[in-house]
Amino acid sequence: MGERAPYDLRIAGGGDRFPVAEERPLLSWKLPRTWSGQDGYDLQFRVDGVEEMVQNVVSARHLFVEWPLAPLRSRQCVAWRVRARRSGRSSEWSPWYEFETALLDGDWSARWISPQEDDAEPRPAYILAGSVALREEIAQARLYSTALGVYEAFVNGRRVGTAELAPGWTSYAATLYAQAADVTALLRGGVNELEILLSDGWYRGSVGTWRKRDSWGTTTAARLQLHVRYVGGTEIVVGTDESWTSRRSAIVAADLMDGQTTDFTTPPDTPRPARVDAVSAPPISWSPAPPVRQVEQLAPRAVTPHDNGTYIVDFGQNASGWIMLTDLGPAGTRTVIDYGEHLDPTGDLTTTHLDSQRPGEVAIPFVQRDEVVSSGRPGEVFEPRHTLHGFRYARVRRAGGDLDPASIIMQVVHTDLRPMATFACSDADLNRLHEVARWSFRGNAVDIPTDCPTRERLGWAGDYQIFAPTAARLYDVDGFSRKWLRSVRDDQLDDGRVVNSSPDGNRLKVHDDPMVNGITGSAGWGDAIALVPWVLYETYGDTAALAENWPAMQRWVEWALATARGARHPSRVERSAEPLAHEEFIWDGSFHWGEWLEPKQRAADGSLIDPVMSDPMAWYMADKGEVGTAYLFRSVRTLAAVAEVLGRADDGARYRETAEKVRQAWQTEFLDAEGRTQAGTQASYVRALAFDLVPEDLRDKAARHLVDLIDAADGHLGTGFLSTADLLPVLADSGYPDVAYAVLYQRTSPSWLGMLDRDATTIWEDWDGVSEDGTATGSLNHYSKGAVIRFLHTHTLGLRQAPDSIAWESFVVAPVLNEAITWAKGTFDSPQGQIAVDWRIENDRLAISVDVPGGSEAQIRFPDGSTFHTGPGHFSARRPLA
């Protein structure tokens, strides 16, 4: 049917085992595979069995189409299909797509209930319990639930749904999501037991580097509502209320960061009445993101005895999740599991590289530890679902007991993102680098995009701003990103600043913290509110992402412009008491992280010099106006483009004019007549060229200066956090593909392949994350530098979206060749359909084949200058290499 009908129908919504939407879901579909476009469509709906038609719509749009009917009500069952039209001809009807509407906030009757607590430390998980008597002949049942904390729901002892760490992490003062589940098969006639297993989660547990607790509240709570429809149509509704009880569970300690302890010998606790309405909570919403799930299992690569009763388990892959144990030993056996990323020279687990330390203060040791005490019951399994760890290795201690390697499983846990791309080439190192970077993002896509799954686990805006274009190539991150952006908006300060990480465990919006306040509002971090929505629009055609973030991105940019006008760096004050004319657009007088984590210099003894810890005040006060002004230009220009898409012509014209003034100011202050940047670093040239800050007549000179710096560094990169993603594309697009590949293939530090040679399975935070003697110096799973693999897709494979194209309506295939690579192939499941590219070199000729989906057109460029244009279908050609 797909050849002659639209296919892959979707809504912009989330859900666990079935799609769930709110009142006005956005509709998307792909065109028939042989169609180049549509000029209209018809829609057919069944809403609770009632049919409605929307016919003869004149529109080329088939992505994020606005809901055309009256707003939906709670709990409606919807099916829809589409028929595309072109030049007076209609396609066949698509298959039906079904979804349900959520239980909307106004229709919740269940009350918030909380456990009766006794201030125990460490904090346990509690069981909230209720029951409902039902008749036979149950036709359908839906369970709606949420919590302030992390929860699992159970019906008659069986776990509901597949989502983990529900309801997910949000800025709980403003946003809370719920989950929906089909529990028809779990219910029976007679008394049914309902339970909620509730722990602190992100709401009340440890958050961030400094393990802050009680960030959003001091009392956990849950809310559950069950809707049952009998055969014949009658319905009943029950929910959490004063009849529910609470008791302590066998989970005697539960913290997402510190770990979970389960004692299966714990005697049953005496139920006590649950507390009712002890919390206040925001209106209940529904996440547009896929849920966190167990997405993969890994068996150990090796289990090695270390000391008496201690084993080191190597899973061969750094990831996020937990260990499941199926052999817990005789009754009373205690098993302790410590998790980490690295082993010391003796082969023991070490986590000292993840310790946290403020300048002048004692380090806070990093610990991830689970414990379990066996009851000896047959079939007992330990699976700590109320914590999460980043690890490749585990140290398992069991006094006096053996450990069966077959009983140990790593559960890989993260947001269940839909893969969108594949890549492979003739070079095994590049294939491995691609997988390492992909694993690094997977380990940091746990409901929000985090910086690392260990030490901090925070949704740092700078990290995702950098990686979002790469993430959007690897996975469908539209709903995942929109969910996180809502927290960014929730946390935005009244003056327009965007906080460094969201959800903001510091609660800077309501709790003043002078230190945190002083490092908030940085270029490259706050700019995520403008740049990430634009990635979603360019990649998916998601105009809703632009519209819902417009006010926040405008407030951010206006704050940055006002700061540029009103604050100056001391070095410029010293230069001139009165600001020079162009300084009105130089953003230098407020805090910036700057390039961050460029390769560290070495002291005379060979040790690495940390520029922050060695002289914090000098680093803090350094002039980072080049970075700030460059990002100001990029965000203002992006805002102009967003305004045009949203039909805000006056705003668009104003911001275009402002962007040009910022660019001219940057050129005046930071670029000379020979194309040299004032900073004179690799990062400054990469940023200038990537952001289009350099005048056309100086681009070649600026690129040459960049290459000279790389040559002076013996072919090594010198870029840090913000510019590494753009380094290789800038080199290749500036006429230096040989230099780009030489940097990519560099094996000594700093380099990507140097990480692989030191056994990296995820991307490191620091270029020297593991020294030559095997000592780890920082997080070994920070995905931002892994953005290099976008180059493998856009240049090595050669597949990139055409300039000014949206949602891949037009793309280019132009491989950038290197003598070490003889073939490459890959796919991308674009919003128009799957694109496939395969090229190989044979007998001094380049053969390229491309599959072009419906709704797209392609331009294929060969190194000899030959260019081909094609629409939907299969293309193949062979041309001389030169």
Side-chain angles (χ1 to χ4, degrees), residues 217-546:
T218 58
T219 302
T220 58
R223 201 178 186 189
L224 175 151
Q225 192 159 312
L226 176 66
H227 290 248
V228 179
R229 188 176 74 244
Y230 294 111
V231 174
T234 60
E235 292 190 3
I236 67 164
V237 178
V238 296
T240 45
D241 59 18
E242 64 278 358
S243 69
W244 281 57
T245 62
S246 77
R247 66 183 189 274
R248 292 180 61 154
S249 73
I251 300 176
V252 297
D255 186 272
L256 280 182
M257 299 196 73
D258 295 339
Q260 175 176 322
T261 299
T262 299
D263 186 348
F264 286 115
T265 67
T266 301
D269 190 25
T270 302
R272 293 185 286 173
R275 301 167 62 196
V276 179
D277 297 333
V279 299
S280 59
I284 289 176
S285 303
W286 294 82
S287 173
V292 173
R293 288 195 179 101
Q294 297 179 25
V295 296
E296 190 171 347
Q297 289 187 337
L298 297 179
R301 175 183 290 180
V303 179
T304 306
H306 187 68
D307 288 325
N308 292 333
T310 300
Y311 300 83
I312 299 299
V313 185
D314 178 7
F315 292 95
Q317 178 60 58
N318 204 6
S320 62
W322 51 69
I323 285 177
M324 179 175 71
L325 285 180
T326 58
D327 177 11
L328 304 186
T333 300
R334 177 178 292 271
T335 305
V336 180
I337 307 169
D338 287 294
Y339 298 78
E341 303 176 305
H342 198 59
L343 302 181
D344 68 17
T346 72
D348 195 9
L349 184 77
T350 179
T351 57
T352 56
H353 61 289
L354 297 170
D355 294 349
S356 299
Q357 185 174 17
R358 290 186 174 100
E361 295 185 8
V362 176
I364 299 175
F366 178 81
V367 177
Q368 298 178 121
R369 178 174 295 159
D370 293 338
E371 299 186 44
V372 58
V373 179
S374 171
S375 71
R377 288 188 293 267
E380 196 166 69
V381 173
F382 175 60
E383 186 166 6
R385 299 177 186 269
H386 289 251
T387 190
L388 188 76
H389 307 298
F391 67 106
R392 170 180 171 172
Y393 302 97
R395 180 175 56 220
V396 183
R397 288 177 289 165
R398 179 178 291 176
D402 293 329
L403 185 66
D404 178 6
S407 72
I408 311 168
I409 294 292
M410 175 197 277
Q411 298 282 18
V412 179
V413 179
H414 56 72
T415 298
D416 194 5
L417 298 170
R418 183 166 62 108
M420 301 294 283
T422 62
F423 171 84
C425 72
S426 61
D427 191 288
D429 282 335
L430 298 187
N431 294 336
R432 179 61 183 150
L433 175 63
H434 188 275
E435 285 305 289
V436 165
R438 190 176 68 90
W439 269 103
S440 201
F441 177 62
R442 287 177 61 183
N444 282 292
V446 183
D447 203 54
I448 62 168
T450 60
D451 61 327
C452 63
T454 50
R455 184 187 63 219
E456 298 177 58
R457 307 187 195 178
L458 296 175
W460 281 88
D463 298 59
Y464 200 53
Q465 179 267 129
I466 294 158
F467 199 83
T470 305
R473 175 61 71 95
L474 297 176
Y475 294 97
D476 180 354
V477 295
D478 187 62
F480 173 79
S481 304
R482 288 179 64 185
K483 174 195 176 294
W484 175 72
L485 285 165
R486 181 162 177 175
S487 287
V488 176
R489 299 194 305 272
D490 288 345
D491 295 334
Q492 188 174 24
L493 304 183
D494 293 341
D495 60 10
R497 282 180 298 161
V498 170
V499 298
N500 288 315
S501 64
S502 284
D504 179 22
N506 292 306
R507 300 294 306 280
L508 190 59
K509 191 171 184 176
V510 294
H511 298 307
D512 184 34
D513 183 324
M515 188 191 79
V516 176
N517 192 49
I519 58 173
T520 297
S522 172
W525 277 254
D527 295 287
I529 192 61
L531 302 179
V532 173
W534 186 252
V535 169
L536 304 184
Y537 172 65
E538 281 191 316
T539 305
Y540 307 108
D542 188 350
T543 52
L546 301 182

Side-chain angles (χ1 to χ4, degrees), residues 160-180:
V160 172
T162 65
E164 302 286 358
L165 306 178
W169 195 4
T170 58
S171 294
Y172 295 104
T175 300
L176 178 65
Y177 294 123
Q179 286 69 48

Side-chain angles (χ1 to χ4, degrees), residues 65-267:
V65 173
E66 291 186 358
W67 180 250
L69 305 179
L72 293 165
R73 303 186 307 275
S74 287
R75 306 187 59 251
Q76 293 193 288
C77 296
V78 181
W80 68 281
R81 62 178 182 169
V82 61
R83 178 172 62 189
R85 291 192 287 106
R86 183 182 63 177
S87 303
R89 182 166 61 94
S90 295
S91 73
E92 295 182 359
W93 284 101
S94 71
W96 289 93
Y97 178 90
E98 298 180 354
F99 67 91
E100 295 183 14
T101 47
L103 181 63
L104 304 178
D105 183 69
D107 293 320
W108 282 79
S109 56
R111 299 173 70 178
W112 283 103
I113 60 171
S114 301
Q116 292 277 2
E117 298 187 76
D118 52 13
D119 298 324
E121 287 290 347
R123 292 169 176 168
Y126 289 87
I127 296 172
L128 302 170
S131 63
V132 57
L134 299 175
R135 304 200 317 259
E136 300 286 352
E137 298 183 334
I138 297 168
Q140 185 195 72
R142 295 289 185 266
L143 186 75
Y144 304 96
S145 51
T146 188
L148 298 174
V150 160
Y151 80 99
E152 299 174 83
F154 296 84
V155 173
N156 293 321
R158 295 174 62 185
R159 190 169 182 268
V160 172
T162 65
E164 302 286 358
L165 306 178
W169 195 4
T170 58
S171 294
Y172 295 104
T175 300
L176 178 65
Y177 294 123
Q179 286 69 48
D182 181 353
V183 295
T184 310
L186 303 183
L187 295 171
R188 59 183 178 237
V191 176
N192 291 262
E193 302 297 333
L194 308 176
E195 290 184 336
I196 301 167
L197 182 59
L198 178 66
S199 64
D200 286 4
W202 293 283
Y203 178 76
R204 197 179 68 165
S206 301
V207 172
T209 309
W210 313 113
R211 299 294 197 269
K212 290 188 175 182
R213 298 206 303 175
D214 302 335
S215 292
W216 280 273
T218 58
T219 302
T220 58
R223 201 178 186 189
L224 175 151
Q225 192 159 312
L226 176 66
H227 290 248
V228 179
R229 188 176 74 244
Y230 294 111
V231 174
T234 60
E235 292 190 3
I236 67 164
V237 178
V238 296
T240 45
D241 59 18
E242 64 278 358
S243 69
W244 281 57
T245 62
S246 77
R247 66 183 189 274
R248 292 180 61 154
S249 73
I251 300 176
V252 297
D255 186 272
L256 280 182
M257 299 196 73
D258 295 339
Q260 175 176 322
T261 299
T262 299
D263 186 348
F264 286 115
T265 67
T266 301

Side-chain angles (χ1 to χ4, degrees), residues 1-6 29-35 37-43 53-59 81-94:
M1 178 179 289
E3 296 295 326
R4 301 183 300 274
W29 60 89
K30 292 174 180 172
L31 300 179
R33 287 183 169 87
T34 58
W35 285 32
Q38 69 175 32
D39 53 34
Y41 56 84
D42 303 316
L43 293 167
M53 290 286 296
V54 176
Q55 295 178 293
N56 301 318
V57 178
V58 178
S59 175
R81 62 178 182 169
V82 61
R83 178 172 62 189
R85 291 192 287 106
R86 183 182 63 177
S87 303
R89 182 166 61 94
S90 295
S91 73
E92 295 182 359
W93 284 101
S94 71

Side-chain angles (χ1 to χ4, degrees), residues 546-578:
L546 301 182
E548 64 195 12
N549 287 290
W550 168 262
M553 65 175 73
Q554 188 176 34
R555 289 175 58 216
W556 162 253
V557 165
E558 290 295 345
W559 174 82
L561 287 169
T563 303
R565 287 192 302 270
R568 301 171 70 204
H569 190 268
S571 64
R572 290 183 182 80
V573 175
E574 184 177 346
R575 178 181 69 185
S576 171
E578 292 298 320

